[in-house]
Amino acid sequence: MKQNKMDYPLLVVTLILVSFGLLMVFSSSYYYAIDKMQNKLHFFTSDLNWIVLGVFAMLVASAVDYKIYRKVAIPLFVVSMFLLVYVLFKGTVVNDARRWITIAGQRFQPAEVAKIGLIMFFAFSLEKNYTNLNKPKILAVYVAIIGAVVLLVMKQPNMSTAVILAGVMAVMLFVAGLRWIYVISFAVAGGAVGWLLVHNAPYRLNRMIAFLDPFKYKNDESWQVIQSLYALGTGGIFGVGLGMSTQNKLYIPEPQNDFILATVGEELGLIGTVGLLILFLILLYRCVKIAMNAPDIFSTLLATGISTMLGLQILMNYAVATSSMPATGVTLPFISYGGTSISILLGSIGIMLNISKATIKRTHKNDD
């Protein structure tokens, strides 16, 4: 056995995705920025600033020994929970949702901070308790934490992030050794809770109904989804050309955000969306490989949490943009505009790069 060097393929594919994302943010937001901000470069320059900050965070995280996160896991978890509570009382309201905290004129989403905070805490805690994980008293604590986090995020309201957080924590529990009987029980319970949350919120129920027949509600709940489908259909195989999209010219609200894949599909066609998906699959493959070869339980779970977070966001964004699941707001990692999100994601990749330097390379003939 010998130690790996830093996972350079992961670094390269991340930088390619970020660069492509910056280009698509400019292309998708051009007309919207002129209409709303009277500045065609508003979203481009803002995104660039956050990317610079994120790249700096990635470089720092890649240099910091991942073991130090054991020491900050509990404080970061406490801070994350505090921010999730604080935003409900003092947060900034945008589009009827209280998801942001404004400091010195800059907004950030506590839920994005909570993602990495909870991943670190679960990695640290599960390493301590993995031999006793299936004891009811221990498991009940983790279930209570998941329930509290989901409840706080749902109150913003932000169902997509709640689903992602619950999914990440559930996968980490499974990897840590959760018995199948509990996995199945949690899946059934999660489905039941999810249905209750949808059924008791009229706007969520309307989205579910609209998903079943989107064109029937094309002027209401399905407006964004239908415009996205028009964009993807118009793009065909090769696309209409970079900057030539029609649907992002004020048809899709805030096209640089959750539905940026529609612009990719219209301008670059099926080749563009599939090519982007291949890059994401390479990214996830490198992340999963790091998790599988991580040197200890903490780093394995930390890498698993980050990989799951990325995978769920990619899956959900593609599914929503193609009307394969009910519409919900989730950004496409490294591609969509979003300051807090891209900074946290790049910092998370930095953690993965640091873990990759400590992973054990197994020298088998079939090993790549």
Side-chain angles (χ1 to χ4, degrees):
M1 293 185 180
K2 60 180 181 179
Q3 282 193 323
N4 277 329
K5 295 180 180 179
M6 184 168 68
D7 194 319
Y8 287 105
L10 176 60
L11 175 62
V12 170
V13 75
T14 299
L15 294 177
I16 291 173
L17 285 168
V18 169
S19 300
F20 178 71
L22 184 61
L23 175 65
M24 294 314 303
V25 164
F26 173 69
S27 181
S28 62
S29 69
Y30 185 90
Y31 285 96
Y32 183 77
I34 292 175
D35 181 67
K36 300 296 181 180
M37 308 295 179
Q38 290 75 53
N39 177 6
K40 61 186 179 184
L41 297 177
H42 173 81
F43 294 102
F44 174 83
T45 53
S46 178
D47 200 43
L48 179 60
N49 290 335
W50 282 106
I51 287 173
V52 170
L53 178 62
V55 170
F56 176 75
M58 180 177 68
L59 294 175
V60 171
S62 67
V64 173
D65 191 335
Y66 74 88
K67 297 182 182 69
I68 199 172
Y69 299 121
R70 285 190 179 101
K71 299 179 180 179
V72 302
I74 293 179
L76 187 56
F77 170 72
V78 172
V79 170
S80 298
M81 295 301 289
F82 170 77
L83 290 175
L84 289 178
V85 173
Y86 180 85
V87 73
L88 297 179
F89 297 95
K90 300 292 184 178
T92 302
V93 178
V94 179
N95 295 330
D96 298 322
R98 195 181 295 272
R99 303 175 185 174
W100 293 266
I101 293 176
T102 303
I103 298 177
Q106 294 293 325
R107 292 189 315 206
F108 75 95
Q109 283 188 276
E112 296 297 328
V113 178
K115 286 178 183 177
I116 193 64
L118 287 163
I119 288 171
M120 285 187 185
F121 173 74
F122 262 58
F124 168 78
S125 181
L126 288 171
E127 182 185 45
K128 296 289 186 183
N129 297 298
Y130 79 99
T131 56
N132 300 313
L133 175 60
N134 289 288
K135 292 183 177 180
K137 290 183 179 180
I138 299 295
L139 192 55
V141 174
Y142 289 110
V143 173
I145 292 173
I146 294 174
V149 170
V150 169
L151 178 62
L152 288 172
V153 176
M154 288 295 296
K155 291 291 288 182
Q156 296 183 7
N158 192 347
M159 186 170 185
S160 58
T161 298
V163 170
I164 291 170
L165 285 168
V168 167
M169 290 182 281
V171 170
M172 292 179 73
L173 283 168
F174 175 70
V175 171
L178 188 66
R179 290 176 185 167
W180 274 105
I181 184 64
Y182 290 131
V183 173
I184 295 172
S185 299
F186 288 165
V188 172
V193 171
W195 169 247
L196 288 174
L197 291 172
V198 169
H199 186 71
N200 292 330
Y203 75 94
R204 293 194 189 108
L205 185 60
N206 290 339
R207 285 184 179 182
M208 182 67 73
I209 295 171
F211 164 69
L212 300 175
D213 189 0
F215 282 92
K216 182 178 179 180
Y217 302 92
K218 63 181 180 180
N219 294 321
D220 300 300
E221 284 83 3
S222 296
W223 174 265
Q224 286 179 291
V225 172
I226 294 302
Q227 301 308 312
S228 178
L229 293 176
Y230 284 156
L232 295 172
T234 301
I237 297 178
F238 300 104
V240 298
L242 194 63
M244 301 302 292
S245 170
T246 298
Q247 295 307 123
N248 66 22
K249 294 178 174 62
L250 306 184
Y251 287 99
I252 299 177
E254 301 186 37
Q256 71 281 357
N257 289 340
D258 304 337
F259 281 86
I260 195 170
L261 187 66
T263 298
V264 175
E266 186 175 9
E267 296 187 351
L268 303 178
L270 183 64
I271 291 177
T273 55
V274 172
L276 180 58
L277 182 59
I278 290 172
L279 286 175
F280 279 130
L281 291 176
I282 295 172
L283 178 89
L284 292 175
Y285 167 73
R286 302 310 303 185
C287 288
V288 170
K289 185 175 180 182
I290 291 170
M292 292 177 67
N293 294 324
D296 52 48
I297 295 172
F298 175 72
S299 56
T300 295
L301 292 171
L302 184 57
T304 296
I306 293 172
S307 302
T308 305
M309 174 181 68
L310 288 166
L312 286 176
Q313 286 194 213
I314 294 165
L315 176 63
M316 289 177 67
N317 187 276
Y318 263 78
V320 169
T322 57
S323 192
S324 300
M325 67 173 283
T328 185
V330 57
T331 57
L332 187 59
F334 309 113
I335 307 300
S336 296
Y337 171 80
T340 316
S341 175
I342 198 165
S343 298
I344 295 294
L345 288 173
L346 284 170
S348 300
I349 291 295
I351 295 172
M352 296 294 292
L353 292 173
N354 185 265
I355 295 174
S356 75
K357 291 190 288 186
T359 54
I360 302 300
K361 184 175 182 180
R362 295 170 175 82
T363 54
H364 297 309
K365 289 182 180 180
N366 295 327
D367 192 36
D368 56 354

